[in-house]
Amino acid sequence: MARRVLITGLGTFWGGRVAQALEADPDVEVIIGLDTAEPQIRLERTEYVRSDENYSILSRIVQATAVDTIVHTFLVVDSTQMSSRAMHEINVIGTMNLFAAASAAGSTVRNVVVKSSALVYGSSPKDPYWFREDGRRADLPHSRVERSLLEVEGYVRDFATDNPHVCLSLLRFSNVLGPDIVTPLSQALQLPLVPKVAGYDPRFQFVHEDDVIGSLLFVLEQQVPGIFNVAGDGQIPWSEVAAIVGKRTIPMPPIGIGLATGPLRRMGLVDLAPELIALLKYGRGVDNRRLKRAGFDYQHTSAGAVDAFAEALRLRRMVGDHDPKYHYQEDVERWFRHSPSVLREVDRRR
Amino acid sequence: MPPGDRANEKATAPRVATAALVPVQLPPMSKEPEPLDDPRRGDVDEWGRSERMREVARRVYAPLYERWFRVEWEGLEKIPTDGGALIIANHAGAVPSDAPAIMHGIETELGRPVYGLADQFFKGAPFIGTMWARNGGVVAHPDNAYRLLREQNQLVLVFPEGSKGTGKTYNERYRLRRFGRGGFVEIAMRAGVPIVPIAVIGAEESMPILFKVPALAKALGIPYFPITANMLALGPLGAAVYFPAKFKLRVLDPVTFPDVDPDQPRYSRSRIMDESEAIRQRIQEQLYDMLRHRRSVWFG
């Protein structure tokens, strides 16, 4: 069955990679990528549409292209990237417009995948050590990214209730590590001394970036509705994470931590957001067995993800960035996609 | 195929019936997947417990256990050597001295780990929290207890009185507080494990609370701020040094619930409260019995 897929956040790490993987799938007929920024990786047949961050043109796109699948990977989970206002526009308003378009009369959308984060569970001493999908967070959200993601999930829930004919999968990812992705945690682990909060050595859970892509493709393929945690097996203490990467830790005072992290941020080394400091104190674990029971096989454990990151780090230290950087050039890409002189897969087979 | 046709075809296609976002019951995992490469460096398990750290702690604590408290067990064979079990006991001493004694005794005699459930206060405290977790402390959350007991078949120790037990002053010694809301019974039922009650004497006298300073407790954010007899006798050192009271522990007959099915979403509240109260009564009676036979606080 040929599918027509719309990906939000094509310029993000995840959107681009999901598009790349879908391009290889002959069942996927059309891939449309929406973003405010240009794609970061080479794409063959995905069509890139530039939009404003809250997707006001979305209902027109959905109608005109008759997409049946939406992959929502545009959600911002790293609050250090932008202002609170911009994050609100992207996460909350963007999702609102997305679901408004998807639930409009005559909408052809039958499958929606949302990439959320385990941040919605928060991190506090009261937490269970393994959050299940139906578990409630123990405290009120006190960081803006957590609040915004909870609002997003509210829209997701409303959409799912109002549109029972749509297969909706909501994935909550734990901290991602891997060879390529850059997150505040990966930046912290690249410092000569890895910051920790004195007196705390919380258990961390990681998911390898390939498992993130794998799980997104899995739910797209299998169409399993519901909420799923995505995280590697096992939890490891922060000190051991640093040890696997081969670093020593430097304690920061448990009280007045803002004074310690302020200079780190100003020097552009690492920006430890409040939700990350809570994580460095109390940790967080999510139960990944629901997705496993649905049939997904993880390729990496938590420690395996850290190890893969450490290996990539060692290589990069020796040879620098070995992949040539890709720059999106609009006219070239358009020519490739639409010129009659370009022989496409279909023509070649003929 | 033009998009218009496609839309029509979609509209007539059979709709996928999905429950909105309510978790659906999925079949159990059919096959055990290949074990993944797990390059761990330490031995800290998913609960934060480290067997190596416990080993060190046991070696440090052994002289205290054998010479200072001269711990004496009665009915240790009633603690299961395999399978999950919920161990409960009465709780006493400003800084509870009963938990390490019970954990040390079972781990050395039975050779199996004991996880101690306690208030989240421990996890939140810097330094103490890390040491506590490495030595088998786990936050008392029903999900944690269930996973430990039902899925991992571990021994779990919990003090149903909680900080009400350790926070009582010396004039109320050996009088059991309320057993919470009977949550421990519910967990044992859900996990399908026996409850093994233990009556402990000696802990009350090892660090008796004379009075408490609520204002300080509030300012420091701790459950209570005790002024103990140890502090009066030894000064600041008294916050860490116990009196050498003789410890006696009596393991009572395990309580099972053969007529109750595990994994139920809800259990009868009245049944839970009845069972909880019955266990509390049994421990209380045993405590009185042990005190009746105790000739000396220090020599037993």
Side-chain angles (χ1 to χ4, degrees), chain A residues 2 4 68 125-126 129-130 164 166 199-201 203 235-236 240 243 282 289-290 293 297-298 301 303 307, chain B residues 6 18 23-24 27 31 36-42 46-47 120 123-124 126-127 130 134 139 144 147 151:
Chain A
R4 306 170 72 86
D68 51 50
K126 291 178 214 156
Y129 287 20
W130 300 91
V166 174
Y200 293 95
D201 193 10
R203 293 155 300 103
Q235 297 186 32
I236 28 179
E240 196 182 323
Y282 310 122
R289 287 178 295 185
R290 192 152 179 259
R293 260 181 243 129
D297 288 329
Y298 287 88
T301 62
D307 200 46
Chain B
R6 196 181 158 71
T18 62
V24 281
K31 55 171 172 53
L36 300 171
D37 179 37
D38 198 30
R40 291 289 306 263
R41 298 293 173 90
E46 59 180 69
W47 306 102
Q120 88 242 7
K123 192 182 173 191
F127 301 101
T130 308
R134 293 291 170 273
V139 173
N144 290 346
R147 192 171 167 110
E151 294 168 8

Side-chain angles (χ1 to χ4, degrees), chain A residues 27-255:
Chain A
D27 285 345
V28 179
E29 191 183 334
V30 170
I31 310 167
I32 300 150
L34 206 63
D35 205 321
T36 52
E38 288 159 350
Q40 304 294 311
I41 52 173
R42 189 182 304 280
L43 295 165
E44 294 301 328
R45 59 189 178 103
T46 302
E47 307 220 40
Y48 163 59
V49 185
R50 187 190 295 276
S51 78
D52 55 354
E53 66 260 356
N54 54 31
Y55 302 142
S56 38
I57 59 160
L58 208 96
S59 57
R60 272 179 64 196
I61 299 179
V62 170
Q63 224 167 19
T65 56
V67 291
D68 51 50
T69 303
I70 295 179
V71 188
H72 191 28
T73 59
F74 201 22
L75 294 179
V76 179
V77 296
D78 173 6
S79 66
T80 60
Q81 283 178 354
M82 59 188 73
S83 73
S84 169
R85 167 79 43 193
M87 189 166 69
H88 180 80
E89 288 295 319
I90 290 180
N91 283 2
V92 180
I93 308 300
T95 306
M96 188 187 77
N97 283 333
L98 177 71
F99 284 134
S103 59
S107 158
T108 46
V109 176
R110 292 294 174 269
N111 192 358
V112 177
V113 177
V114 181
K115 180 187 172 292
S116 181
S117 161
L119 277 173
V120 294
Y121 296 118
S123 182
S124 90
K126 291 178 214 156
D127 293 345
Y129 287 20
W130 300 91
F131 274 108
R132 284 199 313 262
E133 286 82 352
D134 51 356
R136 290 267 192 98
R137 59 179 294 145
D139 58 345
L140 291 170
H142 27 62
S143 77
R144 46 194 205 176
V145 63
E146 289 175 4
R147 272 197 296 272
S148 110
L149 286 174
L150 282 168
E151 269 189 81
V152 166
E153 290 208 354
Y155 283 125
V156 176
R157 227 172 275 272
D158 288 352
F159 177 78
T161 322
D162 296 346
N163 300 276
H165 60 284
V166 174
C167 170
L168 194 148
S169 324
L170 175 69
L171 304 186
R172 293 180 181 148
F173 293 94
S174 79
N175 307 300
V176 188
L177 266 189
D180 295 324
I181 181 130
V182 178
T183 67
L185 274 180
S186 78
Q187 285 171 325
L189 285 169
Q190 287 185 43
L191 295 177
L193 291 170
V194 176
K196 66 170 228 165
V197 184
Y200 293 95
D201 193 10
R203 293 155 300 103
F204 265 73
Q205 200 178 12
F206 291 101
V207 58
H208 191 284
E209 54 191 48
D210 291 351
D211 279 337
V212 174
I213 302 292
S215 62
L216 284 168
L217 294 174
F218 172 80
V219 292
L220 268 173
E221 178 80 16
Q222 301 293 321
Q223 308 215 355
V224 277
I227 309 177
F228 298 93
N229 292 331
V230 187
D233 284 339
Q235 297 186 32
I236 28 179
W238 182 240
S239 57
E240 196 182 323
V241 174
I244 294 175
V245 182
K247 296 286 171 78
R248 287 175 179 280
T249 54
I250 176 167
M252 297 183 297
I255 300 159

Side-chain angles (χ1 to χ4, degrees), chain A residues 278-310:
Chain A
L279 199 64
L280 281 172
K281 281 165 94 171
Y282 310 122
R284 183 194 309 118
V286 297
D287 192 337
N288 63 8
R289 287 178 295 185
R290 192 152 179 259
L291 189 61
K292 280 187 184 169
R293 260 181 243 129
F296 180 67
D297 288 329
Y298 287 88
Q299 300 302 314
H300 302 268
T301 62
S302 280
V306 180
D307 200 46
F309 167 74

Side-chain angles (χ1 to χ4, degrees), chain B residues 26-226:
Chain B
L26 292 158
M29 280 177 262
S30 50
K31 55 171 172 53
E32 204 50 48
E34 293 278 301
L36 300 171
D37 179 37
D38 198 30
R40 291 289 306 263
R41 298 293 173 90
D43 74 329
V44 178
D45 68 7
E46 59 180 69
W47 306 102
R49 183 184 187 276
S50 157
E51 182 55 36
R52 253 179 264 157
M53 187 74 101
R54 275 303 294 161
E55 187 72 47
V56 173
R58 278 198 296 269
R59 208 168 300 151
V60 171
Y61 187 71
L64 209 63
Y65 180 87
E66 284 155 17
R67 308 267 163 74
W68 195 259
F69 294 129
R70 293 144 292 141
V71 180
E72 217 173 86
W73 284 85
E74 199 181 312
L76 197 60
E77 70 284 348
K78 287 176 192 162
I79 296 174
T81 49
D82 59 328
L86 186 62
I87 300 164
I88 66 154
N90 55 312
H91 210 15
V95 179
S97 50
D98 38 20
I102 294 172
M103 287 168 86
H104 181 94
I106 296 174
E107 288 191 353
T108 47
E109 299 291 336
L110 270 68
R112 55 182 301 199
V114 181
Y115 291 86
L117 298 184
D119 192 82
Q120 88 242 7
F121 157 76
F122 288 97
K123 192 182 173 191
F127 301 101
I128 301 166
T130 308
M131 286 307 292
W132 169 77
R134 293 291 170 273
N135 282 294
V138 172
V139 173
H141 189 288
D143 290 359
N144 290 346
Y146 177 84
R147 192 171 167 110
L148 276 166
L149 289 166
R150 178 103 179 128
E151 294 168 8
Q152 303 182 351
N153 297 319
Q154 298 285 5
L155 288 181
V156 174
L157 170 67
V158 71
F159 299 95
E161 291 172 277
S163 62
K164 295 189 297 303
T166 53
K168 61 184 186 288
T169 46
Y170 191 57
N171 57 338
E172 290 178 312
R173 62 189 181 276
Y174 296 118
R175 262 179 267 159
L176 293 185
R177 309 280 97 178
R178 178 166 58 84
F179 268 19
R181 282 171 275 175
F184 70 103
V185 175
E186 194 172 348
I187 278 298
M189 285 177 170
R190 183 161 292 138
V193 296
I195 294 176
V196 186
I198 301 181
V200 186
I201 61 167
E204 295 273 14
E205 288 86 359
S206 69
M207 199 178 269
I209 299 180
L210 301 179
F211 53 91
K212 291 180 278 188
V213 192
L216 264 176
K218 208 173 169 190
L220 293 172
I222 54 179
Y224 51 87
F225 189 93

